[in-house]
Each structure stands twice: as structure tokens, then as C-alpha cells.
Amino acid sequence: MPEMIEVRWHGRGGQGAKTAAYLLAESAMGEGKYIQAFPEYGPERMGAPMLSFTRISNRPIRIHCHVSNPKVVAVLDPTLLGAINVFAGVPDDGIVIVNTEDSPEALRRSLGVSDRRIFTVPATRIALETVGRAIPNTPMIGALVKATGLLSIDKVMEYTRERFTGRYGTRVAEGNVNAIRRAYEEVRGE
Amino acid sequence: MGKVVALEGNQAAALAMRQINPDVVAAYPITPQTEVVQEFSQFVADGLVDTELIAVESEHSAMSACIGASASGARVMTATSANGMALMWEVLYIAASARLPIVMALVNRALPGNINIHCDHSDSMGARDSGWLQLFSENSQEVYDNLIQAVRIAEHLDVRLPVMVCYDGFIISHAVECLEVLEDDIVRNFIGELEPVNPLLDTDRFITYGPLDLYDFYFEHKRQQMEVYPTAKQVIVGIGKEFGSLAGREYGLYEGYLLDDAELAIVTLGSSAGTAKEAVDHLRSDGLPVGMLKLRCFRPFPNTEIAQVLSRPKAIAVLDRSVSFGGFGGPLFTEIRSAMFENETSPHLLNYIYGLGGRDIDVEDIEGVYKDLQRVVDTGNVERIINYVGLRG
């Protein structure tokens, strides 16, 4: 891992992009990394586009400014692709992971982009089949861990189980852990 | 050593409050302070603290209840932001003048208008003359550490003043970071028991708080109050050292970052100090002699200490996250400039207003300020004393 990785999460209010940013950060902390995570606070409305961010570093993180050039982008809602430039500020070798049934090749063609590494995962379907609700945040974490190799997937699942069991009960926790595992296995690269 | 946890700044503040276990908390929720009161209310409901939580109908009442409780001999805390602090304004002065050791978490937010919920320091600066001590925090760790130390500082028998612990709204209050927290009993041993001074509930010795005080004595009372602030500086340093030996993190009135041999320096408050450290490292690796001064303690203002620590740089930029309308520069700038006046060296002193209403300031912005300073030193020419960074147009 380079010294610091910055992740930008694109979602709509209610899809759990903030929770995803926090879960990834807190899982990384469990592996001895230094972390920051925060959402962008604008007018908050269910369904409105929103952003959240994760920083993971091998050294203490001192900066307290916006994330402008994220190496990794996760898009929780494919309908954002036509509305927002999710590639903004992303370096040419950056990683973009999108929740969609499409293949990376098909998505690349429809978006008309030639660089960046594109990954796709049917996160909403996985969430419906495992958690029973169309909240794609935890499967997106599984897909992101596979695409980036940032963390150990076992540690992420372990941490999610621990955090969700206390808060939402065993059934919801196991559903989310399965969602992470399935997305980790089903995410497609090029 | 404590354990490392991931918390938002507001959660770090609420955790410190739980460990401090104050007798009374009176507060009214306001963005971005809300989670402090929300989490602390949960601790009260769960029986984790012995605190009497007073839910009031306004911040004026919150501070008034704090004053009553503190005068009665209780350990008292509260939290607010911006407009809430503005509504407390009248009673803030009473808390300080009555020498009541109330501790407040102030989550910095811009004052209106227009309506803005994001960070700047206009709320802190509006209260700078109220008599409260003001400590600024760079990150969640410092929020936690400063709140614990603030109890000791406020209650110190040579001080007895209210303290506000300031931290940047959203940037710190709503961002999760790693911090190291102490065990409950270590915090409790460190803060000890409050020793009441002239408590209203001492029925063997009745006293009066807040009587009429006209031109025959008011002036002498204000002059007497002035005496405590130099002492408070020493107490803050002493407690910062003691906390350092306990937690491994020592605190003073300020923190210098690579200042000793710096020829170009930035002075700042709060979360931007961390961003500035990154800028300093970048420019140092390019060979630029840059350094940074983070002021932790704005009240009392460490004027002689600052004059000494800034005696070497040839050019200094003071970063202000608030403005003083109609004044000559921001509040931090005017104080620093005044503190430097008696120095034998006379560096170029520039003011940079930044970040009003939550406008971002990044590493590149701060590097730009250092490059301006370099140009000033190279040419000997200051184009503008008051400047803006991150402003469009």
C-alpha cells in the first residue's frame, strides 16, 4: 500500500455511503492503519446525491482538507453516472468500482472513458439476496477490498460482524457479512 | 498508555464528558454541536454518569443554569456553537466575572448571516473579551485531551475561570479519526474532586453573587480580574506538562513545528494546523526554510512567548478563520502584530483570511502562502498586508 489512500464514495441519501466510508476506515484501523472518514454535509435529503470519504494511511493523518484526487472511487448508485462526473480528480491509474449489472467493458463503452481501472459488481442485487434490503453499501466494501487489495477481507467481515451484531442483531449482521463476501467474489475487473 | 479508538470529534467530546462525570450539564442542541448533547444524554439515560442533565429552552438559559449550578458548588459543563454562543453572550461575561469554573465545548461554526452551519472562528472571536479562557484543538485527540485538562485549569484555585475548548465544526466534529483514550479511573484521578469556593449552598456562610457594582467599585473588580490571566498561563503550562507525563502527550500554550530555524512562518489555529504541517514538510523537502506556529491558547494570549518564538522568521503570515469587520485584519493578526511590536527584529507580517463559512483550505493553498512570504523576503516588498486565501474572484 502506498503511504496514504483516499477513497471517494458516491451515493444517494439513504444508501449508506457514510456507513460504508466509516466501516472501511474502522476495519483498516483494526489492521493498525491510521484513518479518517467523513461525509460531505450539504442539504441532506433521502435520494439526493451525496459524497463521503475515507483516508487510510500508514502514518498519522494530519491533513484536514477535502479529498480532491482520490485514488479509489466507489459508486453506490448507477443512476449517478449520468448526473455526476464520478471520475473528477481521479488519476489515470485510479480505480472506479460501480454498482451495476453491466460488465466493466460495457460500462466503459457507455461512459466513453479510456483510462482508469473499472470494476463492476451487482451490489443492489447482492444486498437484496443477502440482507433483504436494497442498501448496497456493504457489498460495495467487499468489491472495493477485492479491487484494491487494501485490506484483508476476513478482517473486514470480522469487524462488520462485530459492529453490526451489537447494533442490529445477528440476522442483519450475518446478512451484511454475506453481502461483503459475495461482492468480494463476484466483482468483475477487466 | 490508553487504547486507540475511532471517534468523531463530537463523540470524543462526549466521551471526555462521560469520564469527567460532571454534576450538572445544561445545554441546548445546535448544529454542529448536537451529537455532543445527544451522546451525553444517552450516557445519562443509561446511568453511566451521575449528572443532572438540564434540558433548557435556549442557550441563554443553558449558560444561566450553568452559572447557578456552578455558583452552588457543582462541577458544570456545557456545549454549543455559533448562534447558540451568541445567545449566551450576556451571561458568558457573568460566568467569567463570578469566577465560575464552567467548561464548555465550543464547536466552531460561522455566525450568520446568511445562514451557514459550517466552520469558522467568528463565534470564538466574538467571545474573546468575555473573560473565558480559550483553548483551540487541532484534531479529535486534542478535543478529548483539552476537555480533560480544561476541568483542572478552570477549577485550579489560582485560576477559577470558565474555559471553552474550541474545535472546528464538521471538519473535526463530524469526521472520524483515530485517537488514544485513557481509562475512566485515570481521568477521574487526574481531575480529582472539585473544591467548591464560596458555594451558594453553604448555609453556614451566606454570600451574594452578582450584586449591583457601580462606579465606586466596578472598576477595581475588573482590574482585579485582569490579574488572574498571567497566572492562568502558568497553570495551563503546568497542567499540560502533568497531562503529558500521564498520557504521553504534553501540551503548552502553543506548538511550534520546525520553527527553530524557520525564516518563513505561518501562525494558525485549529484543524488547519495539521494541513499546514503537511505543507511545511513538502516545502522543507524542497529546501525552503519554513515553519509553523499553532496557537493552542488564545485566551490568555501568550504575547511574550509568541514574540520570543517568532523572533527569527523574516516573514510571517497569520491565518485568520474569521474577520473583524472594519478592523485592520483578523483578530489573530492584530494580536500577533501587537505582540511583535516590542521585538528588536521587525519581520514582514501579513494576514491571510481563509475558510469563512467552511471554505476548504488544502495543502496547496498553504504552500501558496509560504511562496508569497518567500517573494516578500526576496523582494523586500509587501504588496498587500491583508490577503485572502481560497477566495474566488
Side-chain angles (χ1 to χ4, degrees):
Chain A
M1 191 182 113
E3 197 140 275
M4 182 166 76
I5 285 276
E6 294 177 315
V7 181
R8 183 171 68 210
W9 303 83
H10 289 270
R12 292 186 180 277
Q15 289 181 327
K18 178 185 167 187
T19 301
Y22 278 43
L23 256 183
L24 181 70
E26 289 163 19
S27 301
M29 200 187 80
E31 291 196 34
K33 306 288 187 192
Y34 294 91
I35 55 108
Q36 263 182 13
F38 51 95
E40 183 187 68
Y41 282 94
E44 293 158 64
R45 306 178 304 283
M46 189 77 97
M50 62 87 66
L51 297 173
S52 60
F53 306 93
T54 306
R55 285 191 172 110
I56 299 174
S57 173
N58 292 320
R59 289 194 308 138
I61 301 172
R62 301 176 298 182
I63 53 172
H64 284 107
C65 47
H66 290 178
V67 172
S68 308
N69 301 108
K71 183 77 192 285
V72 180
V73 168
V75 183
L76 273 64
D77 191 321
T79 66
L80 289 168
L81 292 170
I84 283 168
N85 178 14
V86 300
F87 295 95
V90 181
D92 291 348
D93 62 346
I95 295 173
V96 178
I97 308 138
V98 180
N99 169 19
T100 173
E101 296 282 345
D102 289 346
S103 69
E105 295 78 10
L107 187 65
R108 184 180 285 289
R109 272 196 306 278
S110 68
L111 293 171
V113 284
S114 58
D115 44 26
R116 280 88 166 206
R117 294 168 58 200
I118 293 181
F119 292 81
T120 63
V121 63
T124 302
R125 178 158 55 80
I126 292 174
L128 281 168
E129 290 170 7
T130 52
V131 186
R133 293 178 65 193
I135 299 184
N137 60 350
T138 46
M140 286 304 287
I141 294 174
L144 186 147
V145 169
K146 180 66 174 284
T148 61
L150 265 179
L151 304 170
S152 135
I153 191 68
D154 293 335
K155 290 279 173 54
V156 173
M157 292 195 298
E158 201 177 296
Y159 180 76
T160 305
R161 179 178 291 121
E162 181 190 312
R163 185 171 142 168
F164 278 33
T165 304
R167 198 170 295 185
Y168 307 113
T170 312
R171 201 180 57 81
V172 174
E174 288 309 316
N176 279 283
V177 170
N178 283 335
I180 292 174
R181 182 183 17 244
R182 270 195 54 191
Y184 182 83
E185 288 161 359
E186 292 177 31
V187 64
R188 287 187 283 173
E190 293 166 291
Chain B
M1 292 291 277
K3 69 172 180 184
V4 177
V5 295
L7 292 176
E8 294 182 340
N10 279 344
Q11 293 176 311
L15 172 64
M17 288 173 71
R18 179 180 71 66
Q19 295 182 316
I20 291 163
N21 192 13
D23 299 311
V24 173
V25 167
Y28 189 84
I30 179 170
T31 302
Q33 157 266 35
T34 310
E35 294 77 13
V36 179
V37 183
Q38 183 184 324
E39 292 238 343
F40 190 76
S41 305
Q42 191 66 52
F43 296 147
V44 174
D46 293 346
L48 297 175
V49 288
D50 308 307
T51 307
E52 179 80 29
L53 178 69
I54 309 176
V56 286
E57 80 289 358
S58 78
E59 284 86 356
H60 189 282
S61 301
M63 185 47 61
S64 299
C66 287
I67 288 169
S70 184
S72 75
R75 180 175 271 162
V76 180
M77 296 184 78
T78 188
T80 195
S81 291
N83 311 42
M85 164 81 105
L87 193 51
M88 287 180 179
W89 200 73
E90 172 195 5
V91 266
L92 284 178
Y93 279 68
I94 296 172
S97 300
R99 307 288 295 273
L100 299 173
I102 300 163
V103 173
M104 176 202 290
L106 178 69
V107 191
N108 288 124
R109 162 183 161 180
L111 284 167
N114 301 326
I115 300 167
N116 185 300
I117 57 169
H118 288 280
C119 174
D120 69 33
H121 297 156
S122 50
D123 48 6
S124 287
M125 293 304 162
R128 70 178 180 172
D129 298 334
S130 64
W132 283 62
L133 306 186
Q134 294 182 317
L135 303 177
F136 280 80
S137 320
E138 180 186 321
N139 48 37
S140 291
Q141 182 74 66
E142 294 193 2
V143 172
Y144 175 81
D145 293 347
N146 278 336
L147 277 168
I148 292 166
Q149 291 173 71
V151 174
R152 282 282 304 277
I153 296 163
E155 294 175 4
H156 195 285
L157 291 175
D158 295 337
V159 177
R160 286 284 156 166
L161 282 171
V163 181
M164 59 181 77
V165 171
C166 311
Y167 58 99
D168 288 349
F170 288 103
I171 301 165
I172 300 301
S173 68
H174 287 67
V176 69
E177 290 188 307
C178 313
L179 67 149
E180 197 179 297
V181 298
L182 300 166
E183 297 293 337
D184 292 1
D185 56 342
I186 289 179
V187 173
R188 276 169 200 170
N189 288 336
F190 179 77
I191 62 172
E193 293 285 318
L194 167 71
E195 197 175 322
V197 175
N198 299 323
L200 279 174
L201 293 182
D202 181 356
T203 51
D204 294 330
R205 190 172 155 274
F206 290 108
I207 66 146
T208 300
Y209 276 89
L212 194 65
D213 193 15
L214 302 180
Y215 45 63
D216 47 354
F217 278 114
Y218 180 91
F219 197 175
E220 282 73 25
H221 289 148
K222 293 295 119 178
R223 177 65 188 86
Q224 283 176 353
Q225 192 182 332
M226 288 294 288
E227 280 296 298
V228 69
Y229 295 91
T231 311
K233 270 204 272 196
Q234 295 165 14
V235 170
I236 290 167
V237 171
I239 289 171
K241 278 207 174 77
E242 200 186 318
F243 187 83
S245 60
L246 179 83
R249 297 180 296 278
E250 190 174 314
Y251 287 80
L253 300 168
Y254 61 84
E255 178 194 337
Y257 188 70
L258 301 182
L259 256 188
D260 290 347
D261 61 343
E263 290 180 16
L264 315 171
I266 276 179
V267 185
T268 192
L269 292 169
S271 66
S272 60
T275 312
K277 285 173 189 169
E278 200 76 12
V280 167
D281 284 358
H282 284 188
L283 296 175
R284 280 265 172 181
S285 69
D286 294 342
L288 238 61
V290 296
M292 192 230 17
L293 175 70
K294 172 180 83 181
L295 203 55
R296 173 190 181 220
C297 180
F298 185 70
R299 283 291 179 270
F301 192 75
N303 56 310
T304 49
E305 293 83 352
I306 286 173
Q308 213 233 321
V309 75
L310 290 180
S311 60
R312 185 187 160 95
K314 294 176 182 156
I316 299 164
V318 180
L319 268 56
D320 264 292
R321 198 161 202 150
S322 62
V323 283
S324 172
F325 293 111
F328 184 63
L332 185 56
F333 175 68
T334 52
E335 301 249 6
I336 298 275
R337 201 165 140 101
S338 164
M340 298 293 289
F341 187 73
E342 297 294 338
N343 265 17
E344 281 174 18
T345 57
S346 50
H348 296 289
L349 264 164
L350 285 77
N351 190 197
Y352 284 80
I353 312 281
Y354 75 100
L356 300 190
R359 176 64 52 83
D360 191 37
I361 182 164
D362 64 17
V363 177
E364 220 169 288
D365 292 328
I366 295 174
E367 288 177 8
V369 173
Y370 279 116
K371 284 172 186 162
D372 285 0
L373 292 181
Q374 182 68 64
R375 242 187 331 271
V376 165
V377 169
D378 290 346
T379 63
N381 179 35
V382 175
E383 239 172 80
R384 280 185 311 271
I385 293 178
I386 313 295
N387 304 274
Y388 299 86
V389 55
L391 179 74
R392 287 196 303 266

